[in-house]
Amino acid sequence: MTTKQGKGKVCLAYSGGLDTSCILAWLLEEGYEVVAYMANIGQEEDFEAARVKALKIGATKVFIEDLRKEFVEGVVFSAVQANALYEGVYLLGTSLARPVITKTQIRIANQEGCDFVSHGCTGKGNDQVRFELGYYAIDPSIKVIAPWRIPEFFERFPGRPALLAYAAEKGIPVFQTAAKPWSTDENLYHISYEAGILEDPNVTPPKDMWKLIADPEDAPNTPERISIHFENGKPVKVVNKGDGKSIADGLDLFLYLNHLGRKHGVGRIDIVENRFIGIKSRGCYETPGGTILRAAHVDLEGLTLDREVRRLRDQFAQRLSEIIYNGFWFSPEREFIMAAVEQSQQTVAGTVHLKLYKGNVIIEGRESAISLYDDKIASMDIAGGFNPGDSDGFIKINSIRLKAYVAQKKKVTGSGF
């Protein structure tokens, strides 16, 4: 491949897909030396084939880093502790992976003496923010090449058809075709789909788009029952009640939950979300293991977490989800909130029993040695040390504020409720 010369050395976050393969070729044309870096965060990828592709395009080196365990145990399980959920529905699969990817990319860039780091994020999306805030937080002196914000690049490649044509011209094989023009991002936690026909929010995704999870209509007719054991709000063991299989290693445990969720159609969503930069975006997501874990964790907190602590943590969780979604993982506010979340989780220990059936995660029971639940006090059949007469004063005290408001309302509007 003919290139210009001498612009410096770049560490490119390379996926092996359409965008970053074309970016790799373009950087070489522009005169940069390129080191390709691939993060193995659980995506179903032929990493060796991607290595060969990158070298064939012209990368001088290719680094493939297995970050799966770090991703699951260091990031995903922290999100489970917080019940992190963006806009009440999105489990943050893409957002959570970025800190692990960027941290390792900067390490390799420094190790290889790179002048720049680069990525394939579009100029309209959230990921450009997540990657670059991570870069600058970890290495404030690093320089970034963002092709999708460079006119020479985005004017030459105004859309995916132009990239597909460029790839064909350069002999670069790509998975995406003109017939299936949606874009995907996959990791151990989830896979996302966007762009192409999905940009019309009223278009139903074709059935063959969904890659991971069985259609709930096609899922097994027989449910599967499991138990998930937690300590400090993090899963420590999964037991299959049917075959007795027990898994305790964090990564293996999560892989197993992914397997079960995929099998039983658990974890598909189709949403319109608010991007950080102010654009609404339609996205489809498959998050099998994460959906199961969140359901179990939320349920166990009902048994073991103090009411007021849970309310405060829930307030924090909403803000934390926005912080993570917007790319501020390496920020003081994220560290502050996570410290509070971790303290809240000291009592979240026990076991949740679940049934997986045709897209549903059904809670069938829960138990904990340090439960706050007192069956004697809660019982409607026995007093259990609770004097019902005490409720009279409780109600009267709480009615004082309401009576005062009604009196004020009558003065203002002439009537009460």
Side-chain angles (χ1 to χ4, degrees):
M1 182 177 292
T2 302
T3 65
K4 304 171 188 177
Q5 294 297 325
K7 285 193 174 181
K9 194 172 185 179
V10 182
C11 179
L12 170 65
Y14 182 69
S15 69
L18 175 64
D19 287 32
T20 55
S21 292
C22 291
I23 287 170
L24 172 53
W26 180 81
L27 287 170
L28 292 168
E29 285 186 355
E30 290 297 304
Y32 296 98
E33 178 186 352
V34 181
V35 171
Y37 151 65
M38 297 189 71
N40 177 2
I41 45 175
Q43 65 271 40
E44 294 183 352
E45 177 72 60
D46 186 337
F47 289 99
E48 188 53 36
R51 181 200 302 274
V52 171
K53 181 195 292 188
L55 292 172
K56 183 178 179 182
I57 295 170
T60 53
K61 289 184 180 180
V62 179
F63 291 87
I64 300 175
E65 303 289 316
D66 188 347
L67 307 178
R68 293 176 302 161
K69 196 171 185 67
E70 178 183 349
F71 177 44
V72 169
E73 296 182 352
V75 177
V76 169
F77 286 173
S78 293
V80 171
Q81 285 183 306
N83 293 333
L85 197 67
Y86 182 69
E87 296 188 333
V89 64
Y90 173 43
L91 284 165
L92 297 163
T94 299
S95 317
L96 289 169
R98 298 316 182 221
V100 180
I101 296 171
T102 54
K103 189 174 182 179
T104 304
Q105 186 176 1
I106 291 295
R107 174 178 62 78
I108 291 173
N110 290 334
Q111 169 189 307
E112 294 299 306
C114 293
D115 308 287
F116 309 89
V117 289
S118 185
H119 58 73
C121 308
T122 72
K124 291 184 178 181
N126 297 307
D127 264 352
Q128 59 178 335
V129 181
R130 297 167 184 149
F131 269 90
E132 294 180 37
L133 290 180
Y135 293 152
Y136 293 131
I138 300 165
D139 184 355
S141 66
I142 198 67
K143 291 176 284 187
V144 179
I145 298 174
W148 282 113
R149 299 202 305 269
I150 298 173
E152 291 84 358
F153 186 88
F154 67 70
E155 289 175 1
R156 182 177 177 183
F157 305 107
R160 297 190 181 276
L163 288 174
L164 288 167
Y166 181 69
E169 173 192 334
K170 297 295 182 182
I172 300 170
V174 292
F175 176 73
Q176 183 179 11
T177 68
K180 293 184 177 181
W182 50 77
S183 175
T184 64
D185 180 82
E186 183 181 2
N187 60 49
L188 196 63
Y189 198 46
H190 87 159
I191 186 170
S192 66
Y193 308 87
E194 62 179 7
I197 62 170
L198 300 178
E199 290 176 353
D200 181 344
N202 197 36
V203 169
T204 301
K207 188 170 183 177
D208 66 350
M209 181 195 77
W210 302 102
K211 177 182 176 183
L212 299 184
I213 298 173
D215 189 317
E217 295 178 359
D218 302 327
N221 292 323
T222 302
E224 194 148 10
R225 288 177 166 84
I226 60 172
S227 296
I228 304 179
H229 301 251
F230 289 86
E231 292 179 7
N232 296 312
K234 293 184 177 183
V236 294
K237 185 169 68 171
V238 173
V239 177
N240 189 311
K241 294 184 177 183
D243 60 17
K245 187 171 185 176
S246 177
I247 301 175
D249 175 77
L251 176 57
D252 291 340
L253 175 158
F254 195 76
L255 288 169
Y256 184 58
L257 288 177
N258 270 346
H259 163 71
L260 295 178
R262 292 171 70 163
K263 174 182 175 182
H264 291 281
V266 171
R268 284 188 185 181
I269 61 169
D270 179 345
I271 64 173
V272 175
E273 66 201 64
N274 289 295
R275 290 179 178 173
F276 185 30
I277 63 172
I279 298 173
K280 284 191 179 293
S281 171
R282 194 264 188 96
C284 300
Y285 302 95
E286 297 182 277
T287 316
T291 300
I292 297 170
L293 271 182
R294 186 177 190 279
H297 180 263
V298 169
D299 183 81
L300 183 60
E301 285 188 328
L303 189 69
T304 62
L305 197 56
D306 174 78
R307 181 185 70 180
E308 297 305 316
V309 171
R310 189 177 191 182
R311 286 177 177 174
L312 285 170
R313 197 288 320 280
D314 286 347
Q315 293 175 28
F316 283 161
Q318 179 178 346
R319 181 69 185 114
L320 178 66
S321 299
E322 295 167 357
I323 288 167
I324 295 171
Y325 184 87
N326 293 342
F328 290 91
W329 181 271
F330 300 103
S331 68
E333 59 268 33
R334 200 275 308 173
E335 289 189 322
F336 168 76
I337 291 177
M338 275 311 306
V341 168
E342 288 172 2
Q343 198 283 333
S344 77
Q345 297 296 293
Q346 291 177 3
T347 61
V348 183
T351 303
V352 181
H353 308 286
L354 311 96
K355 176 172 70 175
L356 309 178
Y357 183 65
K358 290 190 175 295
N360 296 292
V361 180
I362 301 165
I363 307 297
E364 295 195 318
R366 76 287 294 162
E367 57 186 310
S368 172
I370 53 174
S371 168
L372 289 174
Y373 182 84
D374 187 322
D375 58 349
K376 295 182 178 62
I377 291 179
S379 175
M380 295 295 182
D381 297 322
I382 58 175
F386 182 85
N387 184 352
D390 292 342
S391 295
D392 185 61
F394 177 79
I395 293 168
K396 288 179 178 178
I397 288 172
N398 276 280
S399 73
I400 292 173
R401 180 177 62 89
L402 301 181
K403 290 176 180 179
Y405 174 64
V406 170
Q408 180 192 54
K409 188 178 178 71
K410 287 180 179 178
K411 292 178 181 178
V412 175
T413 67
S415 64
F417 288 102

